Amino acid sequence: MNLRQIEILRAIIRHNTTVAAARVVGLSQPAISNAIKTMEEQAGFALFQRVNNRLYPTPEATILAEDAEAIFDLHDKLERRIRDLRDSRAGQLRLVATPPIGYGIITSAIQETQQARPKIRTYFDVRRYEGVMNGIESHNAELGFILAFGGKPGIQSELLCHCDMVCVMPPGHPLSARAQLGPRDLRDYRFIALERGTRLGEATRAAFEAEREEFNFSAEVRYGNTACALAEAHAGLAVVDSLTAFSGRFKVAVRPFRPAIPVGAYAIWSENRSLSRLARFFLARVRDAVANVPSASIASGQADV
C-alpha cells in the first residue's frame, strides 16, 4: 500500500463517503471506488462495509489507519521544516569573525536575525585573521568576516564597507581639540601600537614611515579592542579601525588619522559551497548593521563615544 492509497484510506474513514473523500484528496468518485478495490485486493481482506450509501471501516482498516497517523505526522513535520527553510525560519548559522567585526557588527546582526527567525541556532566564534580563513576553508563556518582581506584562491568575498583608521584617546585629552591627528601629533604622548606582523599593525607603521616619523610605543597589543580599553583607561592613545572605535563599547574620543589608512571590511565564504538561504538572510542583516556604523562622522571631524 503506497502513500497515496494510505491518504485515500484515511480520507474515506474520516468522511464515510467516496464523494467526500474524492473532494478532499482531489480525485473523482469512481477513482476512489477503484482505489478501495485495489487496496482490498492488495491487503487480502475487506477494508470497508457499505451501509445506506455510507462506508464504515472494518476493524482491520481502523488498525491500519491508526498506524498510518505516524506517517502523516512525520509528513506534516517535514512540510513545516520545508516551509521554515524556505522562509529562513529554521536551520543553523555557523559564523566566524575577527574581533573588530565580531564584537560589533556581527553581534547586532545575530540579535536581529534571531529576533526575526527564533527557531535558528547560531554557532559563532571570534578568532584572529588566520583562524577565520581556516574556519571557512575547513567548512567549519559558512560565513566569515574580516578586515583587510587580500584575496585568496577558493574564497569568495564581498566588500561590506571602507573605513579609515582613527585615533582614539580618553575624553578630554588635549589632542581631542584637534580636528584630525597625524604621527607627529602623537610623538609626545604614550602610544599603544597594534602588533607588528598584523595587517593593521603594519599599515600603521607604514603611515608613520611615510611621514618620516619614528614609531615609538609604550604598549603593543594584538587587537583594537584591547587598544581602546587601554585608551579609555588613560594608558595612551591608539590608532585603530573605525568599526572598533565606534562599536559603542568604549568611552573614548575619536579623531580622524592622517595620512589616511583605508581598511575594508569583508564577508567571505567558500567558493565551492553556495550560501544557504539563511546565510544570505544573515548577510543582509550584516549589511544593515554596517550602514548604521557612524563612520561618516569620522570624515567630517570629531566624535566622542
Side-chain angles (χ1 to χ4, degrees), residues 4 8 18-19 21-32 35:
R4 184 58 164 167
I8 293 170
T18 56
V19 174
R23 185 167 57 251
V24 169
V25 299
L27 294 175
S28 65
Q29 188 272 337
I32 294 294

Side-chain angles (χ1 to χ4, degrees), residues 11-296:
I12 298 171
I13 290 175
R14 287 187 171 186
H15 300 283
N16 298 118
T17 68
T18 56
V19 174
R23 185 167 57 251
V24 169
V25 299
L27 294 175
S28 65
Q29 188 272 337
I32 294 294
S33 298
N34 290 333
I36 294 172
K37 181 179 179 180
T38 300
M39 285 188 288
E40 290 181 332
E41 290 175 352
Q42 291 175 345
F45 50 79
L47 296 172
F48 296 96
Q49 294 177 340
R50 186 178 294 276
V51 178
N52 296 327
N53 292 323
R54 298 184 70 84
L55 294 174
Y56 294 93
T58 63
E60 292 81 4
T62 301
I63 292 172
L64 290 176
E66 289 174 353
D67 290 345
E69 283 304 313
I71 298 174
F72 288 102
D73 288 343
L74 182 61
H75 179 265
D76 290 342
K77 182 179 179 180
L78 181 62
E79 286 290 319
R80 289 195 299 272
R81 176 56 61 89
I82 290 172
R83 289 194 298 270
D84 286 344
L85 290 172
R86 182 183 61 232
D87 299 333
S88 301
R89 289 198 301 260
Q92 54 183 236
L93 276 171
R94 293 190 177 274
L95 312 169
V96 63
T98 55
I101 308 180
Y103 290 136
I105 291 172
I106 302 306
T107 54
S108 61
I110 289 174
Q111 187 275 332
E112 288 188 17
T113 300
Q114 291 186 333
Q115 186 174 14
R117 304 287 188 264
K119 294 182 181 180
I120 71 167
R121 287 183 174 178
T122 303
Y123 300 87
F124 175 44
D125 194 10
V126 176
R127 303 180 187 175
R128 57 191 297 179
Y129 185 97
E130 296 80 3
V132 172
M133 297 300 299
N134 181 65
I136 296 301
E137 291 175 325
S138 64
H139 294 171
N140 287 328
E142 186 175 8
L143 275 173
F145 300 90
I146 57 177
L147 293 182
F149 177 59
K152 191 173 184 180
I155 300 295
Q156 288 278 89
S157 67
E158 176 185 325
L159 177 63
L160 298 171
C161 69
H162 276 302
C163 53
D164 289 347
M165 294 186 72
V166 295
C167 187
V168 296
M169 66 206 76
H173 190 280
L175 291 183
S176 65
R178 306 276 185 92
Q180 64 183 39
L181 298 171
R184 289 186 180 85
D185 301 312
L186 309 183
R187 63 170 55 161
D188 296 327
Y189 299 91
R190 291 192 304 273
F191 183 65
I192 305 159
L194 297 181
E195 188 175 84
R196 179 181 292 278
T198 63
R199 291 171 182 256
L200 300 189
E202 291 301 318
T204 307
R205 285 166 171 80
F208 273 72
E209 184 178 351
E211 295 292 301
R212 292 184 170 84
E213 188 69 22
E214 187 176 359
F215 191 80
N216 289 321
F217 58 88
S218 57
E220 185 180 71
V221 299
R222 174 172 290 275
Y223 299 122
N225 296 282
T226 312
C228 284
L230 287 173
E232 182 181 15
H234 295 259
L237 295 82
V239 175
V240 302
D241 64 278
S242 57
L243 295 181
T244 298
F246 285 103
S247 65
R249 298 192 311 280
F250 307 103
K251 293 181 179 179
V252 292
V254 183
R255 298 295 178 267
F257 183 79
R258 297 293 182 267
I261 307 175
V263 181
Y266 291 83
I268 62 171
W269 60 93
S270 177
E271 197 172 61
N272 60 12
R273 290 182 64 186
S274 60
L275 290 179
S276 65
R277 293 174 61 88
L278 182 55
R280 293 196 297 271
F281 178 86
F282 178 77
L283 189 53
R285 307 287 78 73
V286 174
R287 296 187 192 105
D288 292 341
V290 168
N292 291 327
V293 174
S295 56

